[in-house]
Amino acid sequence: MRSVEGGLVTPGDANGVARVISATRFEPFLKACQGDHAAAERLYAWDGEAARALWSPVRDLEVSLRNALHQQLSGKWAQQGQEWYETRPPNDWGCDEIEAAKTKLRKRGRRYGPDDVVAELSFGFWTSLLSNGGKGKHYETWYWSPSLQYLFRQHRGPKGRAQLHARLGYVQTLRNRIAHHERIFHRDLNKDYNTTLELLRLVAPSLAADHDDYSQVSAVLARRAAVVAGLAPIRL
């Protein structure tokens, strides 16, 4: 993608991306562009641009969610010398995740505290606290009813927790695709963005307002057709 000719952005080597990322990985882009290698290469570039733009609200949701959940659960069950996950432990999988986080921190050879453990735990761990808990722990009565429902007042009700968990799971899928450098152009990215912001408003309204005012996501998504057609420049 080296030059501009007659208003069209043209690639210097139409097959370059396919060789670098592999034909298999490039195939969905090529298929979406009806076999046009140049257009597929531009779509690949735009896909990366969209991923970078969406990562910002997803990042803020992940960090805000884990801090909000930790603070809420600590306020209910933390005791002197013991964290909430020690006095009110999650299911077996959750406990394994906590121990794995502590093991990683110990291997770094320095002292660590609860905030370090919180930061080490995955988005999947925090989202799981709003699931049904599975065998051994019924999170509806273990975490939701006595504590977490008060953090998410808009989701209180018979299906509140389950609905919230499903929406977080939806964003988690987007988050993981971006984090693992998988394509996202085939998703409903406007829905992804709106869902992320709606969830962010529940735990960090001021951050959500910043995204409303300053986010690049809407502008990036609106550029897709022009970028793929070669009428707008790619951004790397």
Side-chain angles (χ1 to χ4, degrees):
M1 303 174 187
R2 310 290 192 271
S3 62
V4 179
E5 298 175 359
L8 296 176
V9 180
T10 60
D13 180 355
N15 296 317
V17 170
R19 283 200 300 268
V20 172
I21 70 170
S22 84
T24 300
R25 189 177 178 88
F26 190 64
E27 180 62 27
F29 298 91
L30 193 60
K31 185 176 180 180
C33 295
Q34 292 76 51
D36 184 331
H37 275 259
E41 193 171 349
R42 291 190 291 266
L43 177 59
Y44 179 80
W46 178 87
D47 187 81
E49 182 185 359
R52 291 190 298 276
L54 283 160
W55 186 252
S56 180
V58 168
R59 174 202 62 185
D60 286 345
L61 173 60
E62 179 170 354
V63 174
S64 300
L65 177 70
R66 74 190 185 197
N67 289 338
L69 290 174
H70 176 61
Q71 290 169 11
Q72 184 75 9
L73 294 169
S74 294
K76 181 71 174 177
W77 287 297
Q79 300 175 6
Q80 186 172 5
Q82 286 189 302
E83 296 303 314
W84 66 266
Y85 46 78
E86 295 166 332
T87 63
R88 194 79 168 181
N91 59 21
D92 290 345
W93 178 85
C95 287
D96 288 344
E97 290 294 293
I98 292 168
E99 287 308 308
K102 291 179 178 179
T103 297
K104 288 180 182 179
L105 291 167
R106 283 194 292 268
K107 286 181 177 179
R108 293 172 190 168
R110 65 178 180 83
R111 296 180 64 183
Y112 64 87
D115 288 345
D116 300 299
V117 176
V118 167
E120 194 67 38
L121 291 165
S122 69
F123 191 20
F125 171 85
W126 298 106
T127 298
S128 76
L129 297 181
L130 294 156
S131 71
N132 62 17
K135 294 181 179 179
K137 287 287 192 304
H138 186 52
Y139 284 177
E140 185 81 29
T141 55
W142 192 245
Y143 290 135
W144 180 257
S145 293
S147 179
L148 295 183
Q149 66 165 322
Y150 301 106
L151 180 62
F152 300 102
R153 295 182 183 277
Q154 295 181 41
H155 282 270
R156 291 168 71 174
K159 297 182 179 179
R161 178 199 53 74
Q163 182 189 54
L164 179 60
H165 178 251
R167 298 178 76 203
L168 284 166
Y170 179 83
V171 175
Q172 183 185 350
T173 299
L174 171 68
R175 180 247 186 247
N176 289 344
R177 290 196 71 86
I178 295 174
H180 296 122
H181 315 301
E182 298 179 34
R183 61 188 169 91
I184 61 170
F185 74 86
H186 61 297
R187 292 177 59 91
D188 184 343
L189 298 181
N190 281 300
K191 179 180 178 182
D192 286 340
Y193 179 50
N194 291 332
T195 302
T196 302
L197 283 194
E198 287 166 7
L199 291 167
L200 185 58
R201 288 187 187 100
L202 298 177
V203 291
S206 61
L207 267 180
D210 285 344
H211 284 280
D212 284 330
D213 291 339
Y214 304 115
S215 176
Q216 300 179 53
V217 173
S218 295
V220 169
L221 299 187
R223 276 171 33 84
R224 173 174 172 165
V227 171
V228 174
L231 299 173
I234 65 167
R235 292 172 180 165
L236 300 176

